[in-house]
Amino acid sequence: LSRVPPEAARARTFIGGASGLYSTVADYWRFAQMLANGGQLDGTRLLGPRTIAWMAQNHIGSMETFRTPGTRFGLGMAVVEDSGAS
């Protein structure tokens, strides 16, 4: 749970991929570790491997949305399509 009141979060002007998500560093690390483990954490499957693969695919085609060349966007994560360009 966030320690920041919802009114304070709404008052900020920023564009964030988290869309208002608040978390502790430890919990976010565990979430990222679950993604890196293909959907599994501490021996428990939370997301299927096909779901993880789908999230990590380019879902915007050739649209240039990132400042980093060779990078596109999947479902909730950046996708490097050309490591030489990025």
Side-chain angles (χ1 to χ4, degrees):
L1 294 175
S2 173
R3 292 184 181 147
V4 178
E7 298 76 32
R10 282 191 289 275
R12 295 183 182 152
T13 302
F14 63 91
I15 298 172
S19 299
L21 173 70
Y22 290 92
S23 182
T24 64
V25 172
D27 283 345
Y28 187 77
W29 179 87
R30 289 175 53 79
F31 174 74
Q33 188 64 54
M34 180 271 300
L35 293 176
N37 291 345
Q40 210 168 343
L41 184 66
D42 298 333
T44 301
R45 174 146 311 277
L46 300 168
L47 293 174
R50 289 188 325 189
T51 301
I52 298 293
W54 193 51
M55 291 172 67
Q57 290 176 3
N58 174 8
H59 285 273
I60 63 167
S62 61
M63 271 178 30
E64 293 290 336
T65 59
F66 284 94
R67 294 181 186 175
T68 305
T71 304
R72 301 293 184 263
F73 202 71
L75 300 177
M77 61 186 71
V79 177
V80 176
E81 289 207 320
D82 183 348
S83 58
S86 69

